Coordinates of all heavy atoms in Angstrom, one line a residue:
Chain A
C1746 N 94.7 114.2 76.2 CA 96.1 113.9 76.5 C 96.4 112.4 76.5 O 95.9 111.7 77.4 CB 96.6 114.5 77.8 SG 98.3 114.5 78.0
D1747 N 97.1 111.9 75.5 CA 97.6 110.5 75.5 C 99.0 110.5 76.0 O 99.5 111.6 76.3 CB 97.5 110.0 74.0 CG 97.9 108.6 73.8 OD1 97.8 107.8 74.8 OD2 98.1 108.2 72.7
A1748 N 99.6 109.3 76.2 CA 101.0 109.3 76.4 C 101.6 109.8 75.1 O 101.0 109.7 74.0 CB 101.5 107.9 76.7
G1749 N 102.9 110.2 75.1 CA 103.5 110.7 73.9 C 104.9 110.8 74.0 O 105.5 110.7 75.1
G1750 N 105.6 111.0 72.9 CA 107.0 111.2 72.9 C 107.6 111.3 71.5 O 106.9 111.5 70.5
V1751 N 108.9 111.1 71.5 CA 109.6 111.4 70.2 C 109.2 110.5 69.1 O 109.2 110.9 67.9 CB 111.2 111.3 70.4 CG1 111.7 112.4 71.3 CG2 111.5 109.9 70.9
G1752 N 108.8 109.3 69.4 CA 108.4 108.4 68.3 C 107.3 108.9 67.4 O 107.1 108.5 66.3
T1753 N 106.5 109.9 68.0 CA 105.4 110.4 67.2 C 105.9 111.4 66.1 O 105.2 111.5 65.1 CB 104.5 111.2 68.2 OG1 104.2 110.4 69.3 CG2 103.2 111.7 67.6
N1754 N 107.0 112.0 66.4 CA 107.4 113.1 65.5 C 108.7 112.8 64.6 O 108.9 113.4 63.7 CB 107.6 114.4 66.3 CG 106.3 115.0 66.7 OD1 105.6 115.5 65.8 ND2 106.0 114.8 67.9
I1755 N 109.5 111.8 65.1 CA 110.6 111.4 64.2 C 110.6 109.9 64.1 O 110.0 109.2 64.9 CB 112.0 111.8 64.8 CG1 112.2 111.2 66.2 CG2 112.1 113.3 64.8 CD1 113.6 111.4 66.7
K1756 N 111.1 109.5 63.0 CA 111.1 108.0 62.7 C 112.5 107.5 63.1 O 113.5 107.8 62.5 CB 110.9 107.8 61.2 CG 111.2 106.4 60.7 CD 110.0 105.5 60.6 CE 110.4 104.1 60.1 NZ 111.2 103.4 61.0
V1757 N 112.5 106.7 64.2 CA 113.7 106.1 64.7 C 113.7 104.7 64.1 O 112.8 103.9 64.2 CB 113.8 106.0 66.2 CG1 115.1 105.4 66.7 CG2 113.6 107.5 66.8
N1758 N 114.9 104.3 63.5 CA 114.9 103.0 62.8 C 115.1 101.9 63.8 O 115.6 102.1 64.9 CB 116.1 103.0 61.8 CG 116.1 104.2 60.9 OD1 115.1 104.5 60.3 ND2 117.2 105.0 60.9
D1759 N 114.7 100.7 63.3 CA 115.1 99.5 64.1 C 116.6 99.3 64.0 O 117.2 99.5 63.0 CB 114.4 98.2 63.4 CG 112.9 98.2 63.7 OD1 112.5 98.9 64.6 OD2 112.2 97.6 62.9
A1760 N 117.1 98.8 65.1 CA 118.6 98.6 65.2 C 119.0 97.5 64.3 O 120.0 97.6 63.6 CB 119.0 98.3 66.6
I1761 N 118.2 96.5 64.3 CA 118.5 95.3 63.4 C 117.3 95.1 62.5 O 116.2 94.6 63.1 CB 118.9 94.1 64.2 CG1 120.2 94.4 65.0 CG2 119.0 92.8 63.3 CD1 120.5 93.4 66.1
P1762 N 117.4 95.4 61.3 CA 116.2 95.2 60.4 C 115.8 93.7 60.5 O 116.6 92.8 60.4 CB 116.7 95.5 59.0 CG 118.0 96.3 59.2 CD 118.5 95.9 60.5
S1763 N 114.5 93.6 60.6 CA 113.9 92.2 60.8 C 113.4 91.7 59.5 O 112.7 92.3 58.7 CB 112.7 92.4 61.8 OG 112.2 91.1 62.0
P1764 N 113.9 90.4 59.2 CA 113.3 89.8 58.0 C 111.9 89.4 58.2 O 111.4 89.4 59.3 CB 114.2 88.5 57.9 CG 114.6 88.2 59.2 CD 114.7 89.5 60.0
K1765 N 111.2 89.1 57.1 CA 109.8 88.7 57.2 C 109.7 87.3 57.7 O 110.5 86.4 57.4 CB 109.2 88.7 55.8 CG 108.7 90.1 55.3 CD 107.3 90.0 54.7 CE 106.6 91.3 54.5 NZ 107.2 92.5 55.0
P1766 N 108.7 87.0 58.6 CA 108.6 85.6 59.1 C 108.3 84.7 57.9 O 107.6 85.1 57.0 CB 107.5 85.7 60.1 CG 106.8 87.0 59.9 CD 107.8 87.9 59.2
Q1767 N 108.8 83.5 58.0 CA 108.6 82.5 56.9 C 107.3 81.8 57.2 O 107.2 80.8 58.0 CB 109.8 81.5 56.8 CG 111.0 82.3 56.4 CD 112.3 81.5 56.8 OE1 112.2 80.3 57.0 NE2 113.4 82.2 56.9
G1768 N 106.2 82.3 56.6 CA 104.9 81.6 56.8 C 104.0 82.4 57.7 O 104.4 83.4 58.2
Q1769 N 102.8 81.8 57.8 CA 101.8 82.5 58.7 C 101.8 81.8 60.1 O 102.0 80.6 60.2 CB 100.4 82.2 58.1 CG 100.2 83.0 56.8 CD 99.9 84.4 57.0 OE1 99.1 84.8 57.9 NE2 100.5 85.3 56.3
F1770 N 101.7 82.7 61.0 CA 101.7 82.2 62.4 C 100.5 82.6 63.2 O 100.0 83.7 62.9 CB 103.0 82.6 63.1 CG 104.2 82.0 62.6 CD1 105.0 82.6 61.6 CD2 104.6 80.7 63.0 CE1 106.1 82.0 61.1 CE2 105.7 80.1 62.4 CZ 106.5 80.7 61.5
G1771 N 100.1 81.8 64.0 CA 98.9 82.1 64.9 C 99.3 83.1 65.9 O 100.5 83.4 66.2
T1772 N 98.3 83.7 66.6 CA 98.6 84.7 67.6 C 97.8 84.3 68.9 O 96.8 83.6 68.8 CB 98.2 86.1 67.2 OG1 96.9 86.1 66.8 CG2 99.1 86.6 66.0
I1773 N 98.3 84.8 70.0 CA 97.6 84.6 71.3 C 97.2 86.0 71.8 O 98.1 86.9 72.0 CB 98.5 83.9 72.3 CG1 98.9 82.6 71.8 CG2 97.8 83.8 73.6 CD1 100.0 81.9 72.6
P1774 N 95.9 86.3 72.0 CA 95.6 87.6 72.6 C 96.2 87.6 74.1 O 96.0 86.7 74.9 CB 94.0 87.6 72.7 CG 93.6 86.3 72.0 CD 94.7 85.4 71.9
S1775 N 96.9 88.7 74.3 CA 97.7 88.7 75.6 C 96.8 88.4 76.8 O 97.3 87.6 77.7 CB 98.3 90.1 75.8 OG 99.3 90.3 74.8
P1776 N 95.6 88.9 77.0 CA 94.9 88.6 78.2 C 94.6 87.1 78.3 O 94.4 86.6 79.4 CB 93.6 89.4 78.1 CG 93.8 90.4 77.1 CD 94.9 89.9 76.2
K1777 N 94.6 86.4 77.2 CA 94.3 85.0 77.2 C 95.5 84.1 77.2 O 95.4 82.9 76.8 CB 93.4 84.7 76.0 CG 91.9 85.2 76.1 CD 91.1 84.4 77.2 CE 89.7 84.9 77.2 NZ 89.0 84.4 78.4
F1778 N 96.6 84.6 77.5 CA 97.9 83.8 77.4 C 97.7 82.4 78.1 O 97.9 81.4 77.5 CB 99.0 84.6 78.0 CG 100.3 83.7 78.1 CD1 101.0 83.4 77.0 CD2 100.7 83.3 79.4 CE1 102.2 82.6 77.2 CE2 101.8 82.5 79.5 CZ 102.6 82.2 78.4
G1779 N 97.3 82.5 79.3 CA 97.1 81.2 80.1 C 96.2 80.3 79.5 O 96.6 79.1 79.2

Side-chain angles (χ1 to χ4, degrees):
Chain A
C1746 194
D1747 185 16
V1751 292
T1753 311
N1754 288 287
I1755 58 168
K1756 165 97 183 65
V1757 183
N1758 311 306
D1759 288 336
I1761 296 163
S1763 180
K1765 280 225 163 355
Q1767 295 157 23
Q1769 290 284 317
F1770 292 96
T1772 57
I1773 300 171
S1775 289
K1777 287 288 184 194
F1778 171 74

